[in-house]
Amino acid sequence: MNILIIGNGGREHALAWKIKQSPQCDKLYVAPGNPGTAQVAENVAIHADDFAKLGQFCLDKAIDLVVVGPEAPLVKGIRDFFEADPKLSGILMVGPGKIGAQLEGSKDFSKQFMVRNNIPTAKARTFQAQDLEQAFDYIATCKPPIVLKADGLAAGKGVIISLSQAEAKAVIKEMLVNKKFGEASAKVLIEEFLNGIELSVFVLTDGKDYVILPEAKDYKRIGDGDTGPNTGGMGAVSPVVFATRAFMKRVEDEVVKPTIEGLRKDGIDYKGFIFVGLMNVGGTPYVIEYNARMGDPETQAVMPRIKSDFLDLLVAAAKGTLKGKTIEIDEQHAVTIALVSGGYPGEYEKGKVIRGLHPDHSRALVFHAGTKQHQEHVVTEGGRVLAISGKGNSLNEAREKAYETAGKIEWDGLYFRKDIGQDLLNYKV
Ligand code: AMP
Ligand code: GLY
């Protein structure tokens, strides 16, 4: 079958790499893709939110399946666009419609969904600009740290944790009244702080049945030892030692099943990924957030651990035939390191020539994120430039392979964390 992946990051390169291995995969395209996806697929110069052009491309190339990588086109309604057009409605798609994508697109929507379905999550209240006085009164009753969340998509920057009531009041005013995040902070949630360790759980569902993909731990802060500002993710590890069989059983029973059931009860025909961001609080899972897509860089650690024909599972999810399907997971460990531009997540320069890009691929996988072909060179084009995934029989071996390859790549200003997975090496469950 012919497949189109939408997106241009490391996640999409990892998805393309995995999908390409399926015997069912004929032509594989990525729109717009990057120089990494060009190694396994054909790139198509169409932007992820140009639905009309994407639709026409699908017709021209007889695309059977569309896999949507990032959240923006989902929240903007790419599925609804395809479903509304009789010529496109027969094309299979992995990715929910506009309403399902609100699980990620609106934190107020997802909080109400969790409360309604008894899914464990931090206690929260939502306020708008006209409720500022009530928000202040509520903050006066909260014990810091106090978590403030912009309701809408804010490029991963919309969560602010305040260490005092006074600071929380200043921040919420900034968000609601001064529109710090534009329309995304027209509503703000004031949320209880959860103290624990985070885990990313990935579910592929057809709206009725589901498979749970390998879990991962993301490293969000820029600096070693989880210091400095938040980023899109500086590395990932899979499996995760504290995601024990018993813990994952609780996640499945207390989070995954009620989530799928809740979507069904609400009449939301959800076909795609649900990325559950969890906090493990003393062995109890709490949902921090849902995303309507896979994680980045988690996908780059998760895909190498899937043994099954992933395309077969994607098609089943898109068709509604996941019932009875299982997923075979490699017991080996994967460690992914994000190589980023100097200055990221703040300002950084682009266009630096990347050297050492062709290391021994039996030692680690090199996924492209923010790269660009410039004449005969591949140059940096984004904050997160490459993701290196090592695999091994132990966490240690996977780390060594990933770091060995990362150490052979160079460009002016290159930075990466040196401690991905280190906290889990001696973790006592
Ligand atoms: P989100 O955008 O919802 O994933 O939040 C970004 C980050 O803020 C999360 O990855 C957590 O590290 C942190 N965070 C969000 N909500 C909470 C909470 N209720 N308690 C503690 N940390 C939180
Ligand atoms: N790495 C976290 C995310 O993709 O949202």
Side-chain angles (χ1 to χ4, degrees):
M1 62 194 315
N2 299 330
I3 299 133
L4 171 67
I5 300 174
I6 295 175
N8 65 350
R11 166 183 50 214
E12 287 74 25
H13 187 183
L15 288 170
W17 169 81
K18 183 66 191 165
I19 288 170
K20 185 69 189 170
Q21 292 167 21
S22 167
Q24 296 177 65
C25 178
D26 294 317
K27 283 295 288 181
L28 179 62
Y29 300 92
V30 186
N34 65 37
T37 60
Q39 295 165 8
V40 285
E42 188 177 324
N43 286 346
V44 190
I46 305 177
H47 195 269
D49 63 11
D50 193 341
F51 300 164
K53 275 203 184 135
L54 291 168
Q56 190 55 48
F57 178 83
C58 289
L59 295 176
D60 293 346
K61 301 290 180 181
I63 297 295
D64 301 291
L65 174 75
V66 177
V67 181
V68 186
E71 65 278 14
L74 294 169
V75 172
K76 215 179 143 196
I78 187 167
R79 171 179 285 275
D80 310 67
F81 180 90
F82 271 59
E83 281 178 352
D85 183 337
K87 294 197 297 297
L88 300 174
S89 59
I91 298 172
L92 296 171
M93 186 179 284
V94 176
K98 207 169 180 164
I99 296 178
Q102 286 299 296
L103 277 188
E104 172 164 6
S106 165
K107 293 194 188 287
D108 182 42
F109 176 93
S110 68
K111 186 63 71 174
Q112 288 180 30
F113 176 86
M114 289 184 257
V115 170
R116 197 162 64 236
N117 291 291
N118 283 318
I119 295 164
T121 185
K123 213 171 72 190
R125 286 207 25 208
T126 302
F127 297 92
Q128 304 185 33
Q130 69 264 28
D131 318 318
L132 190 65
E133 284 306 317
Q134 286 107 296
F136 282 0
D137 290 346
Y138 184 66
I139 288 171
T141 69
C142 296
K143 191 164 119 327
I146 300 166
V147 182
L148 301 173
K149 292 189 174 182
D151 171 56
L153 292 182
K157 299 194 173 73
V159 176
I160 296 177
I161 300 179
S162 294
L163 296 177
S164 71
Q165 292 179 345
E167 188 191 317
K169 286 182 186 174
V171 171
I172 199 165
K173 189 170 172 199
E174 193 55 29
M175 289 168 97
L176 285 175
V177 181
N178 300 342
K179 299 246 157 88
K180 185 178 168 68
F181 299 108
E183 269 312 296
S185 63
K187 287 184 193 170
V188 173
L189 281 74
I190 303 177
E191 188 167 298
E192 165 197 26
F193 181 81
L194 297 170
N195 201 357
I197 184 159
E198 282 180 59
L199 181 72
S200 304
V201 171
F202 303 99
V203 181
L204 177 65
T205 183
D206 63 3
K208 310 181 293 286
D209 296 283
Y210 60 87
V211 290
I212 299 181
L213 276 42
E215 77 285 354
K217 182 177 189 284
D218 181 19
Y219 292 77
K220 287 202 167 73
R221 304 292 200 95
I222 186 75
D224 285 354
D226 291 331
T227 52
N230 261 328
T231 69
M234 293 297 293
V237 166
S238 179
V240 180
V241 59
F242 59 83
T244 58
R245 203 177 282 244
F247 182 74
M248 291 307 286
K249 170 98 173 66
R250 287 194 67 171
V251 171
E252 183 164 5
D253 291 345
E254 295 168 32
V255 176
V256 177
K257 284 181 181 161
T259 297
I260 307 287
E261 183 57 22
L263 288 167
R264 211 189 47 73
K265 273 197 298 213
D266 285 350
I268 300 174
D269 184 23
Y270 196 110
K271 292 183 164 64
F273 296 108
I274 305 176
F275 161 177
V276 193
L278 289 172
M279 190 74 87
N280 175 347
V281 184
T284 300
Y286 286 85
V287 178
I288 296 179
E289 61 161 355
Y290 289 111
N291 295 303
R293 53 173 173 86
M294 287 297 290
D296 189 335
E298 291 98 321
T299 304
Q300 294 90 307
V302 166
M303 288 302 132
R305 294 195 58 228
I306 297 176
K307 279 190 178 169
S308 315
D309 181 339
F310 193 53
L311 178 55
D312 186 57
L313 292 172
L314 292 172
V315 169
K319 271 190 180 162
T321 56
L322 260 186
K323 196 179 179 69
K325 295 268 183 196
T326 53
I327 179 165
E328 202 189 341
I329 294 170
D330 192 334
E331 282 179 9
Q332 283 203 312
H333 294 247
V335 170
T336 299
I337 325 269
L339 309 193
V340 309
S341 297
Y344 173 80
E347 287 189 13
Y348 53 84
E349 291 177 17
K350 296 181 182 177
K352 309 288 183 196
V353 174
I354 305 173
R355 293 178 297 273
L357 245 190
H358 302 287
D360 178 355
H361 282 219
S362 65
R363 298 291 289 172
L365 295 156
V366 177
F367 295 116
H368 289 230
T371 64
K372 194 172 92 173
Q373 191 73 41
H374 180 67
Q375 293 156 359
E376 74 275 26
H377 297 296
V378 176
V379 300
T380 65
E381 173 68 4
R384 293 190 294 172
V385 176
L386 297 169
I388 314 294
S389 297
K391 230 175 122 182
N393 291 323
S394 65
L395 175 57
N396 211 16
E397 190 188 333
R399 286 189 84 223
E400 276 173 17
K401 286 185 178 172
Y403 276 113
E404 179 190 308
T405 297
K408 290 181 180 157
I409 295 173
E410 289 173 357
W411 68 80
D412 185 14
L414 161 70
Y415 169 81
F416 55 88
R417 271 180 71 162
K418 310 294 181 297
D419 69 338
I420 303 302
Q422 203 166 34
D423 55 328
L424 302 180
L425 282 173
N426 299 308
Y427 191 93
K428 296 275 173 290
V429 182

